[in-house]
Amino acid sequence: MLKNILYIILIVAFNGFSPEISAQNNFNTEELQNQKKTAIENEQYRLAKIIQDEIDKRNSPLYNSNPEWKKHPEKDSVINLLELEKAEAIKNEQWKVAAYYKTEIDSVKNSVNKPQIIPNNTNKREYALMQISKNKSIAQKYNKSTIDNKSTIENVSIQQKIKDSEDNSNTNSRYRRSSLYTLMINDPNRMHEKVIKDAFGNYPLPEKFNDHNIGPYLIQSSGVIKDRSNEIANYLNNNNVAKELVSKWFNRKNTGAFDMELVASRGEYDASTYDKLIAQSSIRGSAILTDAGEELIGNTFVVVNDYKFTNKEEVANQTKGILSGVSTLSSLAGYDISLATDVTKVGVTIAGKGYIIKTTSYLFRLEWDETIANDFYSRYWTDDSKIDIEKIKEFDNSTLFKLRYIGSQDAWADVQSSIFTNKSEEDLIRIATIRATDQAIAKLQRKFEEFRTKTPLFSTDPLTAKIGTKEGLEAGDKFEVLESLVDANNKISYKRKGVIYVKKGMIWDNSYVPEEEIKNIPKQEIEATHFKNSNSDYYKGMLIRQIN
């Protein structure tokens, strides 16, 4: 009987649940009352008190069966590990040890409830990386398993604060976005290296993407190299980035377990529907899982930015009066002829009063097809209901997941110097870095069709969408209007309903502006880009995608 009571304590002690046991036991208040009675009969008064505390908690009007920390898998995983240690201590009647673990559990739970305040001028990506390392060290401290979890990179709540990847719509309509992970080449010898790094670290990911950042964001390198594609590909392969992207998609915990919460959230499906399909091994031919793979996981991209800094005076001095030799000189400066020519077009007086940030952006895509999906679900899938150690090890050693290199694109931005503004040099460089990054993504989308994203129509009278200069729009740009269709199996397809064009003089200026400067910007006459070739069949929320 005592053994039975101690077994119950694994579930209810100190406000926690063990994942292995809770899947098999779900005791109601009446059953807990009976367990408390049995504990008293066996003179196990401490145990009876613990059960009574659980009963009191459940009877409280403040009781929440789905607490906030349950929504953070990395916290939940740590708490589960601590609960197992605490339960073991209770079983051995080591009350002081159990109390210690109770304190640790409460600390982790409270860390979720307290809002994280990021200090001003903090590099948010750096801060997020520190939080990830901290959470991993906590998990490793209490994880007695021999499972090698070196490939697991956990998502942390701070990443949601940087960019809410689950609810990032700018209209009342939600739609399936591509997912993006961004990194940069970090050259310690680059001029203004720290300013550029911090600007990138605080770069607001475009709202048309789901934030799929997994932590590390710097690739250490040095020197001016015209093509870094091989160097970057080696880094991504050596650091198992493709596998880490998959781990994030399936919310891999420190225990090695997966779940479908993120896939379901971004795909607007019920997670239990996915779980049932996987449990029944009805993977092949399942429309829902195929749809999720095509629409979500298969549209996961990695962009790596390599920045160069110079001021326009240097470029102008090299090109002034000797345009016949501009190709050689610009090559020496690390720039192509188009950049040097663009600078000289505006004249030396203006060209010599500002800065240029150029970025070469390299684009990769996660390979995910039906074969890879079937292998993943059949060979590697394990969840909290049944942890399969062999599948965990097999996933850790897997070489199945790859990133495919698509191509690169140059972009640049200039910001006028203090002759036109009272901003500091560092502020100007930050602004230029972010604008160059925005332009690089816009140019990558124009150049590579598979990277093009969909955007919902914001209104139909007038016909508008919330995209503009940041996306590199030009008058006459052509977009197809798509209607989403869902078949009986919940599989989504798109039907073209027409073609629209960007109106001249009606492009919304949504270029990056520092938050503290927004109030000083004159109000625009338009709040979205206007299109021509309207149609009565169009309605708000329909998707548009550029086709030229």
Side-chain angles (χ1 to χ4, degrees):
M1 182 64 69
L2 176 58
K3 181 178 180 181
N4 183 46
I5 296 172
L6 292 172
Y7 186 75
I8 301 302
I9 297 306
L10 291 175
I11 308 174
V12 301
F14 297 107
N15 307 326
F17 292 85
S18 164
E20 289 82 358
I21 299 172
S22 61
Q24 305 169 24
N25 300 271
N26 186 16
F27 294 94
N28 57 36
T29 302
E30 182 180 354
E31 290 169 328
L32 292 176
Q33 290 283 11
N34 291 332
Q35 295 298 334
K36 185 189 74 170
K37 180 179 178 181
T38 304
I40 293 173
E41 291 173 353
N42 285 278
E43 298 183 354
Q44 296 292 319
Y45 301 114
R46 287 179 181 266
L47 302 182
K49 177 62 169 62
I50 292 171
I51 298 175
Q52 183 60 51
D53 288 343
E54 175 68 16
I55 294 171
D56 292 343
K57 182 188 74 174
R58 295 192 184 187
N59 290 332
S60 168
L62 300 178
Y63 175 65
N64 180 6
S65 61
N66 186 29
E68 184 66 25
W69 51 269
K70 281 285 186 183
K71 302 174 185 177
H72 299 275
E74 79 291 342
K75 304 289 185 182
D76 194 15
S77 179
V78 170
I79 289 171
N80 288 335
L81 292 169
L82 293 172
E83 289 288 358
L84 293 174
E85 297 293 340
K86 181 193 63 191
E88 184 70 19
I90 294 172
K91 180 179 179 180
N92 296 321
E93 299 190 9
Q94 297 171 321
W95 304 110
K96 288 186 178 181
V97 175
Y100 167 76
Y101 284 116
K102 168 68 162 59
T103 301
E104 293 285 298
I105 292 167
D106 289 344
S107 176
V108 176
K109 289 180 179 179
N110 291 334
S111 71
V112 175
N113 296 325
K114 293 179 181 177
Q116 290 179 306
I117 300 175
I118 305 176
N120 290 334
N121 301 320
T122 297
N123 182 324
K124 294 181 177 64
R125 293 286 292 273
E126 198 70 37
Y127 188 83
L129 190 57
M130 290 170 57
Q131 293 298 109
I132 291 173
S133 299
K134 180 179 178 181
N135 285 334
K136 287 179 69 177
S137 65
I138 291 174
Q140 291 168 358
K141 177 180 178 181
Y142 297 111
N143 189 358
K144 289 187 175 181
S145 170
T146 58
I147 299 171
D148 179 9
N149 285 316
K150 64 182 180 180
S151 69
T152 301
I153 295 183
E154 295 287 351
N155 181 24
V156 293
S157 57
I158 186 64
Q159 290 177 306
Q160 297 295 328
K161 294 180 182 294
I162 296 172
K163 174 71 180 61
D164 186 350
S165 60
E166 309 314 320
D167 188 18
N168 48 10
S169 57
N170 49 19
T171 72
N172 293 328
S173 173
R174 293 188 65 191
Y175 63 101
R176 294 177 178 182
R177 294 163 169 79
S178 295
S179 297
L180 184 62
Y181 173 35
T182 60
L183 303 94
M184 65 168 282
I185 300 294
N186 188 49
D187 182 353
N189 299 317
R190 178 190 290 129
M191 288 182 65
H192 300 287
E193 172 266 340
K194 187 178 187 306
V195 179
I196 293 173
K197 181 178 73 174
D198 287 346
F200 178 82
N202 291 317
Y203 169 67
L205 199 71
E207 292 183 352
K208 56 192 173 183
F209 293 101
N210 285 317
D211 186 336
H212 213 73
N213 287 325
I214 56 175
Y217 71 103
L218 300 177
I219 299 177
Q220 303 296 338
S221 189
S222 62
V224 177
I225 300 175
K226 187 175 182 180
D227 183 359
R228 292 189 184 270
S229 56
N230 287 334
E231 177 186 354
I232 294 170
N234 287 335
Y235 170 89
L236 298 176
N237 289 332
N238 293 338
N239 288 275
N240 294 315
V241 170
K243 191 191 299 184
E244 304 303 349
L245 295 173
V246 173
S247 292
K248 175 161 182 172
W249 265 116
F250 296 100
N251 208 13
R252 195 176 195 234
K253 304 178 182 69
N254 287 305
T255 60
F258 298 108
D259 68 46
M260 298 295 289
E261 292 295 333
L262 182 59
V263 176
S265 174
R266 291 183 181 176
E268 296 185 306
Y269 283 134
D270 179 4
S272 62
T273 302
Y274 284 115
D275 293 337
K276 183 178 180 181
L277 288 169
I278 295 170
Q280 294 175 343
S281 298
S282 54
I283 309 303
R284 189 175 299 278
S286 168
I288 294 178
L289 287 169
T290 301
D291 186 50
E294 293 175 353
E295 283 286 305
L296 296 168
I297 304 168
N299 283 323
T300 305
F301 296 90
V302 176
V303 171
V304 181
N305 297 282
D306 184 17
Y307 296 99
K308 297 184 181 73
F309 167 85
T310 190
N311 63 64
K312 290 195 288 185
E313 185 174 8
E314 292 178 7
V315 179
N317 286 339
Q318 289 177 327
T319 58
K320 180 184 175 183
I322 47 173
L323 289 178
S324 60
V326 70
S327 178
T328 302
L329 289 171
S330 61
S331 176
L332 289 173
Y335 291 92
D336 56 31
I337 187 170
S338 61
L339 176 58
T341 304
D342 286 343
V343 172
T344 56
K345 281 180 181 177
V346 298
V348 175
T349 302
I350 295 178
K353 303 297 182 183
Y355 303 93
I356 293 171
I357 297 290
K358 180 191 176 186
T359 180
T360 301
S361 296
Y362 299 86
L363 178 65
F364 295 79
R365 184 177 188 172
L366 178 66
E367 293 187 355
W368 187 269
D369 55 26
E370 185 177 357
T371 299
I372 295 173
N374 287 330
D375 278 354
F376 171 76
Y377 292 123
S378 61
R379 293 172 56 191
Y380 307 130
W381 180 269
T382 184
D383 55 36
D384 286 331
S385 66
K386 184 180 180 181
I387 300 293
D388 189 322
I389 303 299
E390 292 305 314
K391 286 188 175 182
I392 291 171
K393 290 180 178 179
E394 191 171 354
F395 178 82
D396 285 338
N397 295 323
S398 173
T399 58
L400 175 66
F401 309 102
K402 307 288 184 183
L403 284 161
R404 174 173 57 86
Y405 177 57
I406 297 175
S408 67
Q409 179 63 53
D410 294 336
W412 63 278
D414 76 277
V415 178
Q416 302 300 331
S417 70
S418 56
I419 192 173
F420 300 103
T421 176
N422 58 4
K423 285 187 173 297
S424 69
E425 183 175 90
E426 289 190 353
D427 285 339
L428 295 173
I429 295 168
R430 288 190 187 96
I431 294 171
T433 301
I434 291 175
R435 288 184 174 177
T437 308
D438 280 336
Q439 286 300 308
I441 289 178
K443 287 188 174 184
L444 283 170
Q445 291 192 335
R446 189 180 288 267
K447 184 176 181 180
F448 302 108
E449 184 175 353
E450 61 188 288
F451 190 49
R452 292 176 187 170
T453 56
K454 306 178 188 73
T455 302
L457 285 175
F458 184 69
S459 65
T460 57
D461 188 18
L463 190 62
T464 66
K466 285 280 192 176
I467 49 178
T469 54
K470 185 170 73 172
E471 288 75 24
L473 292 192
E474 298 176 0
D477 279 351
K478 186 179 359 177
F479 286 75
E480 60 180 343
V481 181
L482 303 170
E483 184 174 40
S484 301
L485 302 175
V486 182
D487 65 18
N489 294 315
N490 284 324
K491 182 174 174 60
I492 292 180
S493 61
Y494 299 95
K495 181 178 181 181
R496 180 188 284 195
K497 303 295 288 186
V499 175
I500 59 178
Y501 303 85
V502 174
K503 272 190 177 182
K504 184 178 181 180
M506 299 294 283
I507 300 175
W508 180 41
D509 185 357
N510 62 338
S511 301
Y512 171 75
V513 177
E515 189 173 341
E516 67 274 10
E517 291 290 325
I518 293 177
K519 60 181 181 296
N520 300 324
I521 302 298
K523 186 175 181 180
Q524 296 185 57
E525 294 183 4
I526 57 175
E527 296 182 348
T529 292
H530 289 233
F531 296 82
K532 57 185 179 181
N533 207 27
S534 185
N535 187 308
S536 59
D537 290 338
Y538 300 160
Y539 53 86
K540 181 178 179 178
M542 290 184 80
L543 301 176
I544 63 174
R545 180 171 56 191
Q546 191 164 1
I547 54 177
N548 70 335

